[in-house]
Amino acid sequence: MTRPMTDKHFAELLDRLGPDLETWPPVLAIEARGLLATSSAARILLAEAQRLDTLVRRPAPDVADLKARILAAARATGQTIRDTVVPFRPRRFLAPAAFALAASLLIGVFAGWSGLIGDPLTTYAGDDAASLELQALTAGDSYDS
Amino acid sequence: MGISPATSVPDDDLLMARIAGGDEAAFALLMDRHLSRAVALAQRVTGSRAIADEIAQEAFLRVWTRAAAWQPTARVSTWLWRIVMNLALDHMRKARPTPLDDIPEPVDPGEDPEMATERAALARALDAALGGLPERQSRAVRLCLVDGFSQAEAAAVLEVSEGALESLLVRARRALRASLADYAPAEAG
C-alpha cells in the first residue's frame, strides 16, 4: 500500500514532469488528481506551474501557407500518378520472355545453318508417292502435263 | 499501429501506410499534427523562420516520397524530428555558426506589451539558468519548455538522456519560478 501524495512531493513532480498531468506516468497522475481534489495548496501549485508554462511557451508558428506549399510540391512529385499508372512490374515478366524469344531465334538459325532441319521443298522424299505429290503441290509443279 | 479506439483517429503509423499509397489527405493530417513543431525545431537550431520553413518543407517531402520504405521501428514523430534536426545541422555547418545565446526568441508583434515584458524577463531567467550548459542540453530544455516537445521527444532528438534532461528541467523551472516571483510578487499569491 502506498502513502497518499503530499503537497511537497507534488511540487517536486511539477518541477520534474511539468504541469500537464496527461504526460505524467499514469500512477502518479492518478495520485496527483486525488491530491488536487482535497488540497487547495496543490491546486495553487498547479495553477502557478501552468501560468509559468503558458508564459514561457512560445505560440505554435502559423504554418497554413507552408502546409499548402508542401502539398503542392508533393503533388508535383507525382507519387500518386506513379503508383496508379504503372500497375505491374515490367521487368519481372518481360525479361524471361525476351530471353526465351532470343534463344528460340538462335536455335532456329543454328539448326537451319547446320542442316539439322532440311528444307521441305528441296529435301528428297524417296519413293514415297504421297510425298512427291505433296512436294509438287507446294512447289507449284504439275506432273500431269 | 491502427486506429485509436477511444478517438477513432488514425495513428501516425497508419497515416504513413496511407501516405505510401499516395493519400494526400493522410499527408495533410500528418502535417496538421507535426508541421508546426517541425518548424519550431528547425527555427530553434537555425534561428531563422524562413530557413526553418525550407527545412520543414524538405523534411515533409522526404516523408512523402519515402513513406513506402519507412519501417515502424521508431515513432514517426521521432523519425521526422531526426530528419529536421539533421537538415538544420547541415544548414548550420554550411552557414556561419551562430552561438545559441545570440539567437533571439521570436517576438510576436501583436502581443500585449506587459506580457511581452514579462516574457522577456522569463527568457533572460531561462538564459541565466541554462548558462554554461552544453549547447545540446540547453536546446533540449528549450525544446521542452518553449517549443512544447515532450521530454522523451527532446531527449531522443538531441541524444540527451531522459534522466539528465529531467534534472535540467527541474533546474530551469525553479529558476523561472523564482524569476516570476521577483518580477510580479503581487500576482504570485
Side-chain angles (χ1 to χ4, degrees), chain A residues 14-18 48 51-52 55-58 61-63 66-67 70-71 74-75 77 79-80 83, chain B residues 19-20 22 24 32 36 49 64 105-106 118-119 122 145-147 151 166 173-174 177 180 187-188:
Chain A
L14 282 174
D15 283 340
R16 275 179 51 204
L17 304 172
E48 284 178 352
R51 178 165 180 264
L52 192 65
L55 281 170
V56 174
R57 180 72 52 87
R58 185 166 61 185
D62 181 4
V63 292
L66 177 62
K67 180 185 166 188
I70 294 173
L71 274 174
R75 204 168 286 133
T77 66
Q79 187 203 35
T80 306
D83 288 346
Chain B
I19 291 168
E24 288 183 12
D32 287 341
S36 64
R49 172 61 199 265
W64 173 252
E105 293 292 343
E118 198 169 27
R119 195 186 296 278
L122 286 171
L145 295 182
V146 183
D147 299 318
Q151 288 179 212
E166 193 170 284
R173 284 194 178 103
R174 286 179 181 164
R177 195 166 53 244
L180 193 65
E187 293 181 25

Side-chain angles (χ1 to χ4, degrees), chain A residues 14-19 52-53 55-58, chain B residues 37 40-41 44-45 85 100-101 105 122-177:
Chain A
L14 282 174
D15 283 340
R16 275 179 51 204
L17 304 172
L52 192 65
D53 198 57
L55 281 170
V56 174
R57 180 72 52 87
R58 185 166 61 185
Chain B
R37 286 198 296 160
L41 173 59
R44 170 67 51 207
V45 178
M85 193 68 197
L100 186 68
D101 292 344
E105 293 292 343
L122 286 171
R124 284 195 295 276
L126 187 59
D127 287 343
L130 302 180
L133 283 181
E135 190 167 288
R136 194 179 290 273
Q137 293 183 358
S138 176
R139 272 190 189 141
V141 172
R142 289 171 198 272
L143 278 182
C144 289
L145 295 182
V146 183
D147 299 318
F149 281 67
S150 72
Q151 288 179 212
E153 286 174 330
V157 172
L158 288 161
E159 295 173 330
V160 175
S161 80
E162 280 197 58
L165 177 56
E166 193 170 284
S167 59
L168 290 171
L169 285 168
V170 169
R171 174 171 149 184
R173 284 194 178 103
R174 286 179 181 164
L176 288 170
R177 195 166 53 244

Side-chain angles (χ1 to χ4, degrees), chain A:
Chain A
M1 183 172 174
T2 58
R3 288 182 300 173
M5 186 178 285
T6 62
D7 291 343
K8 184 181 176 189
H9 187 203
F10 181 61
E12 289 170 359
L13 288 171
L14 282 174
D15 283 340
R16 275 179 51 204
L17 304 172
D20 183 0
L21 299 186
E22 296 296 320
T23 64
W24 286 28
V27 173
L28 290 177
I30 291 169
E31 289 180 19
R33 289 196 176 94
L35 176 67
L36 287 165
T38 57
S39 167
S40 59
R43 288 194 291 275
I44 290 171
L45 285 170
L46 179 62
E48 284 178 352
Q50 287 171 333
R51 178 165 180 264
L52 192 65
D53 198 57
T54 303
L55 281 170
V56 174
R57 180 72 52 87
R58 185 166 61 185
D62 181 4
V63 292
D65 291 345
L66 177 62
K67 180 185 166 188
R69 285 208 305 275
I70 294 173
L71 274 174
R75 204 168 286 133
T77 66
Q79 187 203 35
T80 306
I81 295 171
R82 187 191 67 221
D83 288 346
T84 55
V85 170
V86 185
F88 61 91
R89 296 183 178 181
R91 286 183 183 177
R92 179 175 293 178
F93 301 102
L94 285 182
F99 178 79
L101 189 63
S104 301
L105 185 65
L106 282 172
I107 290 169
V109 168
F110 176 76
W113 174 76
S114 64
L116 284 175
I117 301 173
D119 183 349
L121 302 183
T122 57
T123 304
Y124 173 64
D127 293 334
D128 187 340
S131 296
L132 284 172
E133 188 175 352
L134 175 64
Q135 186 174 337
L137 284 171
T138 53
D141 295 337
S142 173
Y143 290 88
D144 294 336
S145 56

Side-chain angles (χ1 to χ4, degrees), chain B residues 9 15 19 27 35 48 68 72 84-85 98 105 111 121 128 132 148 164 177:
Chain B
V9 175
L15 288 182
I19 291 168
F27 187 50
L35 180 57
S48 162
V84 171
M85 193 68 197
T98 304
E105 293 292 343
E111 190 174 37
R177 195 166 53 244

